[in-house]
């Protein structure tokens, strides 16, 4: 695995590789503290025989909560080892100056319409603007044929697809969405889980249990009723609910009740102790 800290060095290496042979580049952007979820994206890229580029960059512009940014876990030595074991080809670990050489505001911004006003967009003002900025910059640098993203961040997947469309890059970069990796009890793996105590990890299972409960209630045709049961379950487990909603799976437009004509998704965000977690499930 080759490791680059400088954007220019990464670009020169990729250009050199491209001059040798046609490249099939698979890109996996991350914020580090890698777990099996991230590694499943690397595995998906390897399975498609991509030359695999992983970036680790904790992007300041996507944190609406400064405490969350400050406390974001960093485990670079373990991440590097995990990527080596996963046969990742290129690791890019830039600092802020490499990604935003002319400052945060110099980067072109994109509009993600209603996606910025619902669920994660509503709860985290400015978050998707930050995601758009960093992903646009990384895409320009790497120019991948494939971009691997996790289903766990379903709304982010839609935002990044919208970004690629607005960049007119649909012919250049295809998005591949990889299913959410969970622990044995169902908790979606997340870098933020590192900040949960053992007791909180158990309480956090109520998020996945809520998603399952909604899925099971689909045939009864009363979303609100099922949601009330979830609210009780979450309260019992000290999970502070931000939203639990039903949406059209393709657009994430909210639905007021189950609609059998549509593929649906349940989305949830809740705080467990000081940690904010999100999850979702196709139903
Ligand atoms: P992050 O480091 O949280 O920015 O995530 C980097 C990428 O890994 C994003 O595309 C995430 O959606 C994806 N990811 C995070 N957690 C999981 C998971 N449990 N399963 C699959 N992909 C994940």
């Amino acid at each position: 695995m080759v490791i680059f800290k400088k954007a220019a060095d990464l670009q020169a290496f990729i250009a050199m590789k491209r001059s040798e042979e046609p490249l099939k580049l698979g890109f996996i952007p991350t914020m580090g503290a890698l777990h099996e979820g991230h590694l499943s994206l690397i595995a998906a890229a390897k399975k498609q025989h991509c030359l695999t580029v992983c970036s680790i960059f904790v992007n300041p512009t996507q944190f609406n909560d400064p405490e969350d940014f400050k406390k974001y876990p960093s485990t670079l030595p373990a991440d590097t080892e995990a990527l080596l074991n996963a046969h990742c080809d290129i690791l890019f670990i830039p600092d802020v100056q490499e990604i935003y050489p002319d400052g945060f505001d110099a980067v072109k911004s994109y509009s993600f319409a209603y996606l910025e006003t619902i669920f994660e967009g509503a709860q985290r003002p400015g978050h998707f603007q930050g995601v758009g900025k960093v992903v646009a910059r990384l895409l320009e640098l790497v120019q991948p044929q494939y971009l691997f993203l996790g289903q766990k961040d379903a709304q982010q997947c839609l935002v990044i697809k919208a970004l690629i469309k607005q960049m007119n890059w649909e012919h250049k970069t295809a998005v591949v969405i990889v299913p959410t990796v969970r622990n044995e009890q169902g908790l979606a793996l997340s870098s933020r889980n590192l900040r949960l105590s053992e007791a909180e990890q158990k309480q956090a299972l109520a998020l996945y249990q809520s998603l399952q409960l909604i899925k099971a209630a689909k045939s009864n045709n009363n979303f609100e009723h099922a949601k009330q049961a979830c609210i009780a379950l979450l309260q019992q487990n000290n999970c502070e609910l931000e939203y639990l909603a039903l949406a059209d799976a393709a657009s994430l437009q909210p639905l007021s009740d189950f609609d059998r004509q549509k593929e649906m998704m349940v989305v949830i965000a809740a705080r467990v102790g000081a940690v904010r977690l999100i999850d979702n499930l196709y139903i």
Side-chain angles (χ1 to χ4, degrees), residues 5-118:
K5 291 186 171 174
K6 300 286 175 202
D9 294 342
L10 171 75
Q11 282 180 302
F13 183 80
I14 291 174
M16 189 260 291
K17 283 277 180 195
R18 280 216 164 95
S19 70
E20 287 171 356
E21 55 182 344
L23 272 196
K24 191 169 159 188
L25 250 171
F27 180 41
I28 296 102
T30 81
M31 297 205 298
L34 301 183
H35 49 66
E36 288 301 323
H38 297 112
L39 298 178
S40 75
L41 303 184
I42 307 280
K46 296 301 294 182
K47 204 170 162 196
Q48 291 203 22
H49 307 288
C50 289
L51 187 75
T52 305
V53 185
C54 175
S55 63
I56 296 181
F57 177 63
V58 184
N59 173 34
T61 66
Q62 72 184 71
F63 285 84
N64 56 313
D65 174 358
E67 272 305 294
D68 190 26
F69 178 58
K70 246 198 291 178
K71 291 194 177 143
Y72 203 84
S74 170
T75 59
L76 190 58
D79 292 354
T80 309
E81 188 159 338
L83 289 170
L84 268 172
N85 291 335
H87 307 290
C88 178
D89 300 295
I90 301 171
L91 169 59
F92 181 44
I93 39 172
D95 63 17
V96 172
Q97 178 64 24
E98 290 298 308
I99 297 297
Y100 299 106
D102 302 315
F104 296 146
D105 297 328
V107 187
K108 188 177 167 193
S109 62
Y110 294 85
S111 164
F112 305 113
Y114 72 95
L115 288 169
E116 289 185 75
T117 68
I118 55 167

Side-chain angles (χ1 to χ4, degrees), residues 29-32 35 37-38 40-41 72 148-153 156 178-181 188-191:
T30 81
M31 297 205 298
H35 49 66
H38 297 112
S40 75
L41 303 184
Y72 203 84
F148 292 86
L149 301 173
Q151 176 61 48
K152 163 147 184 298
D153 298 282
Q156 175 168 278
V178 178
T180 303
V181 177
L189 300 191
S190 163
S191 306

Side-chain angles (χ1 to χ4, degrees), residues 3 15 69 88 90 100 117 140 149 170-171 208 223 238 244:
I3 304 179
F69 178 58
C88 178
I90 301 171
Y100 299 106
T117 68
E140 299 273 4
L149 301 173
E170 283 164 302
H171 63 291
Y208 183 60
F223 173 66
N238 291 328
L244 171 62

Side-chain angles (χ1 to χ4, degrees), residues 37-253:
H38 297 112
L39 298 178
S40 75
L41 303 184
I42 307 280
K46 296 301 294 182
K47 204 170 162 196
Q48 291 203 22
H49 307 288
C50 289
L51 187 75
T52 305
V53 185
C54 175
S55 63
I56 296 181
F57 177 63
V58 184
N59 173 34
T61 66
Q62 72 184 71
F63 285 84
N64 56 313
D65 174 358
E67 272 305 294
D68 190 26
F69 178 58
K70 246 198 291 178
K71 291 194 177 143
Y72 203 84
S74 170
T75 59
L76 190 58
D79 292 354
T80 309
E81 188 159 338
L83 289 170
L84 268 172
N85 291 335
H87 307 290
C88 178
D89 300 295
I90 301 171
L91 169 59
F92 181 44
I93 39 172
D95 63 17
V96 172
Q97 178 64 24
E98 290 298 308
I99 297 297
Y100 299 106
D102 302 315
F104 296 146
D105 297 328
V107 187
K108 188 177 167 193
S109 62
Y110 294 85
S111 164
F112 305 113
Y114 72 95
L115 288 169
E116 289 185 75
T117 68
I118 55 167
F119 309 139
E120 290 304 282
Q123 296 293 331
R124 304 183 66 189
H127 169 63
F128 286 131
Q129 281 298 318
V131 169
K133 282 183 183 189
V134 74
V135 175
R137 170 77 172 134
L138 289 167
L139 286 176
E140 299 273 4
L141 289 175
V142 179
Q143 313 240 344
Q145 279 64 54
Y146 295 94
L147 175 65
F148 292 86
L149 301 173
Q151 176 61 48
K152 163 147 184 298
D153 298 282
Q155 195 170 353
Q156 175 168 278
C157 293
L158 290 187
V159 163
I160 293 174
K161 280 183 176 172
L163 171 75
I164 289 174
K165 200 168 177 188
Q166 285 174 58
M167 291 170 72
N168 278 324
W169 269 42
E170 283 164 302
H171 63 291
K172 259 189 177 175
T173 301
V175 172
V176 182
I177 298 182
V178 178
T180 303
V181 177
R182 301 177 178 283
N183 75 9
E184 275 175 13
Q185 288 85 39
L187 177 65
L189 300 191
S190 163
S191 306
R192 289 185 175 86
N193 293 354
L194 289 176
R195 291 175 49 209
L196 296 171
S197 68
E198 222 169 280
E200 287 168 339
Q201 286 204 21
K202 288 207 179 93
Q203 293 167 345
L205 294 176
L207 274 81
Y208 183 60
Q209 287 160 357
S210 296
L211 299 178
Q212 290 290 355
L213 211 149
I214 302 279
K215 187 176 180 176
K218 188 173 135 182
S219 50
N220 301 341
N221 232 3
N222 189 334
F223 173 66
E224 269 311 313
H225 188 75
K227 184 172 165 177
Q228 289 310 315
C230 295
I231 289 173
L233 175 72
L234 290 158
Q235 271 171 358
Q236 278 160 25
N237 286 282
N238 291 328
C239 300
E240 194 188 318
L241 183 62
E242 282 191 6
Y243 61 80
L244 171 62
L246 196 59
D248 178 306
S251 66
L252 280 187
Q253 291 278 9

